Amino acid sequence: MQELIPITLFICTAYAIHAIADARARSKLVAPHVPEEVIRSLAVLEEERRRQGALRWGISLVCLALAMALLEAIGARDLTFGAAAAMVGSAGLGQLLAWHFTRPAVRKG
């Protein structure tokens, strides 16, 4: 369980840096010299990015849940290379499916 502490610390640090960078970029956009049309178009793009992110996470988590259910159904209780491969493969499959479903939305924009 102690090996999760550095991983969690890394994830939290990366998220904090991302949040600070986003906040700084947003503060630059709100400057008085930025046209309102630019701000509106960026807000629309941000909303679309959030929706696609939610779709990507949803599809990936469903694929991981299906892999876990399959491992439970076949009675795989220990973490083996096969179980890890099934989990990683299902996460990759979820990302590929999400890419497929979000690709037409990107081309329309």
Side-chain angles (χ1 to χ4, degrees):
M1 194 63 153
Q2 292 224 344
E3 61 271 0
L4 293 179
I5 293 172
I7 295 169
T8 305
L9 179 64
F10 174 76
I11 291 171
C12 290
T13 303
Y15 182 74
I17 290 170
H18 185 276
I20 290 169
D22 277 351
R24 181 154 168 81
R26 288 173 197 250
S27 69
K28 294 280 186 185
L29 286 175
V30 183
H33 64 278
V34 177
E36 190 173 331
E37 298 85 31
V38 173
I39 294 174
R40 278 195 191 125
S41 66
L42 288 174
V44 168
L45 288 174
E46 178 69 22
E47 178 63 27
E48 184 66 26
R49 188 175 68 95
R50 279 191 199 144
R51 289 182 67 235
Q52 289 178 357
L55 177 65
R56 180 175 302 274
W57 274 103
I59 291 173
S60 296
L61 290 175
V62 166
C63 285
L64 283 171
L66 290 173
M68 287 181 192
L70 178 67
L71 290 172
E72 179 69 23
I74 63 173
R77 300 276 181 191
D78 296 328
L79 181 62
T80 62
F81 285 115
M87 298 300 290
V88 171
S90 67
L93 178 64
Q95 291 293 315
L96 287 173
L97 286 172
W99 174 80
H100 176 72
F101 287 124
T102 59
R103 187 174 51 125
V106 172
R107 278 190 285 170
K108 289 178 190 172

